[in-house]
Amino acid sequence: MATRSLWRTRAKLAVAATALCTGGAAATVATSDDPAAALKLCTAVPLRLLRDSATAASIVFDYQYSLWGLPEGSNERAKIKHEVHLRSARKLQELCFRNGGIYIKLGQHIGQLEYLVPQEYVLTMRESMLNKCPVSSYDQVCEVFKKELGETPDKVFDEFDPKPIASASLAQVHIARTHDGQKVAVKVQHTHMTDTAAADQATVEFLVNTLHRLFPSFDYRWLVAEIRESLPKELDFLIEAKNSVKCLENFPKLSPHIADYVYAPEVHWSLSTSKLLTMEFMDGAYVNDVITIQKLGIQPSDVARLVSQTFAEMMFKHGFVHCDPHAANLLVRPLPSGKRRIFGKKKPQLILLDHGLYKELDFSTRFSYASLWRVRCPSPKKFGYISWMHL
């Protein structure tokens, strides 16, 4: 009886997905300003939604069927639940890779939620999502350039490397040289993000809400709300450019004692749009690459203090906080002025990359958070917060 009910649930999800897919496709193509793009959207999205629905139904069925009748708290239930978590995490991983785009971003986000989702999901996503992002072909890159700047990369720049040096869920980065000889990094949004981002977001929201209605204990609506708020900001590179400028301007105004030690790449505004971002090329070591940092003549403990102090200044003084500070977005290099500590080690400069996502904190939030730390750490000197800059 339970099995029959669960199969009905899978059928309901499939029927709902099919209806949603086919309902407005013809009307969308007919009324679109870009029929070719609309046709591409209407053929890609139904397949992705059906794939989503099948994966969601399979995961739900596995949990309900595998755990049926096993008493709460028993060793057998814990063992079976661990196995179901692993199977389900792999199914979700496969779905993210097949769909790409926002799904990769979703998988990466899940990989950072060890405090909220089962460890099996966290480890599965973390091991795969950060190193296997999609790569757009050079033809797709040219397509973005033509739409945004009216020319191909080889016309816009004096030199342009068609092979990206890095690729993430939303975009990839190429090295180029401007006609006046400046080396730059060019961030190019993946074309499929432009084509399907809004539809994918709606699809994920539909599935999560549907699953919550069918199974009230499954409630990840907060994750959908977070993506709904952050994704449009991350897809507009002009917002990212403005964020980087504001971030860098805050340090001389509000934190002058640390301003020389924090940097963000200069933006080339005439070569940037909402889907293309051209910035000063930066050389440096990742903040977690201890060996390279030491080779640069920098003390790793100084880097740790600088990172801590930089984000403390943003949180407690600026109220404008970089929200994606993983190692790939934080570089360190010797301070360009050449200043050294009294023991001969070079002072570090922190370079902040990827300014697509920021959070503004009002005074009340900052004061409350500072008060919490004051209670927890009444003597900040013990933790090295006193500036090492003056050594």
Side-chain angles (χ1 to χ4, degrees):
M1 191 69 171
T3 304
R4 192 179 304 124
S5 174
L6 290 167
W7 278 110
R8 277 199 219 104
T9 298
R10 297 181 76 176
K12 287 178 184 177
L13 279 171
V15 170
T18 304
L20 188 65
C21 290
T22 57
T28 301
V29 175
T31 59
S32 174
D33 294 332
D34 187 350
L39 180 60
K40 182 178 180 181
L41 183 66
C42 288
T43 54
V45 171
L47 177 62
R48 295 154 80 87
L49 180 54
L50 288 170
R51 193 183 291 150
D52 293 354
S53 301
T55 301
S58 174
I59 290 173
V60 169
F61 178 81
D62 197 358
Y63 274 104
Q64 297 291 322
Y65 181 76
S66 300
L67 299 177
W68 185 265
L70 297 178
E72 287 284 353
S74 66
N75 291 334
E76 185 182 4
R77 183 181 177 88
K79 177 178 178 294
I80 297 299
K81 194 172 186 178
H82 168 70
E83 294 172 357
V84 178
H85 281 336
L86 277 178
R87 286 197 299 270
S88 301
R90 288 170 187 146
K91 291 173 186 175
L92 187 58
Q93 176 194 53
E94 182 183 357
L95 176 70
C96 291
F97 281 137
R98 291 184 70 183
N99 282 352
I102 184 178
Y103 292 86
I104 298 289
K105 194 74 177 174
L106 179 64
Q108 291 175 342
H109 196 66
I110 291 172
Q112 305 301 319
L113 298 177
E114 57 261 83
Y115 51 92
L116 286 174
V117 300
Q119 194 69 7
E120 292 84 353
Y121 285 85
V122 172
L123 295 177
T124 299
M125 297 302 172
R126 189 176 289 175
E127 288 168 1
S128 58
M129 290 295 165
L130 293 177
N131 301 317
K132 295 181 180 178
C133 290
V135 176
S136 294
S137 68
Y138 183 62
D139 287 341
Q140 290 172 319
V141 170
C142 289
E143 182 183 332
V144 175
F145 265 84
K146 287 176 184 176
K147 285 183 178 179
E148 298 299 309
L149 297 177
E151 297 282 359
T152 54
D154 57 307
K155 299 285 178 52
V156 174
F157 296 100
D158 188 50
E159 298 174 12
F160 185 88
D161 189 345
K163 185 176 179 181
I165 59 169
S167 183
S169 56
L170 306 183
Q172 61 192 44
V173 179
H174 295 258
I175 295 177
R177 194 171 295 277
T178 62
H179 290 294
D180 61 0
Q182 296 183 64
K183 189 177 183 181
V184 294
V186 186
K187 186 174 180 178
V188 185
Q189 193 170 119
H190 294 308
T191 54
H192 60 264
M193 290 305 305
T194 306
D195 294 336
T196 65
D200 284 346
Q201 183 178 324
T203 299
V204 171
E205 187 167 351
F206 166 76
L207 285 173
V208 169
N209 288 335
T210 300
L211 286 169
H212 176 65
R213 282 193 293 271
L214 293 171
F215 305 98
S217 61
F218 180 94
D219 192 1
Y220 284 87
R221 291 174 296 173
W222 59 268
L223 184 56
V224 171
E226 188 166 324
I227 292 174
R228 189 193 308 123
E229 179 186 356
S230 65
L231 189 63
K233 297 176 184 177
E234 292 188 89
L235 288 174
D236 187 343
F237 292 169
L238 291 178
I239 291 178
E240 177 176 346
K242 291 172 184 174
N243 285 345
S244 70
V245 172
K246 181 176 179 179
C247 170
L248 203 57
E249 288 177 347
N250 279 342
F251 282 93
K253 288 190 296 186
L254 302 171
S255 308
H257 61 290
I258 198 178
D260 289 342
Y261 301 89
V262 182
Y263 190 74
E266 180 185 347
V267 176
H268 292 251
W269 292 97
S270 63
L271 298 173
S272 299
T273 71
S274 62
K275 296 176 178 60
L276 280 173
L277 181 58
T278 304
M279 305 159 286
E280 173 187 6
F281 180 82
M282 305 304 304
D283 267 321
Y286 294 125
V287 290
N288 61 349
D289 187 350
V290 176
I291 294 175
T292 302
I293 287 171
Q294 290 174 327
K295 286 180 180 178
L296 291 172
I298 299 171
Q299 195 74 19
S301 58
D302 286 348
V303 175
R305 290 191 189 96
L306 177 57
V307 172
S308 297
Q309 192 166 9
T310 298
F311 280 87
E313 296 289 330
M314 284 194 274
M315 285 187 284
F316 298 120
K317 288 187 179 179
H318 307 176
F320 189 66
V321 187
H322 188 302
C323 289
D324 199 12
H326 59 76
N329 289 337
L330 302 176
L331 300 181
V332 64
R333 66 179 179 181
L335 190 67
S337 68
K339 288 183 181 178
R340 294 173 181 260
R341 296 180 58 191
I342 57 176
F343 299 112
K345 287 290 184 180
K346 297 176 182 176
K347 291 186 177 181
Q349 184 181 62
L350 181 67
I351 302 168
L352 302 173
L353 305 178
D354 196 349
H355 299 262
L357 196 56
Y358 271 73
K359 192 74 174 178
E360 295 197 45
L361 306 179
D362 59 28
F363 178 79
S364 175
T365 301
R366 285 182 278 146
F367 184 82
S368 298
Y369 195 40
S371 299
L372 172 66
W373 277 103
R374 184 176 178 83
V375 171
R376 298 280 296 182
C377 306
S379 179
K381 290 182 181 180
K382 293 180 181 179
F383 298 91
Y385 186 78
I386 298 303
S387 178
W388 47 269
M389 303 294 178
H390 308 295
L391 294 178

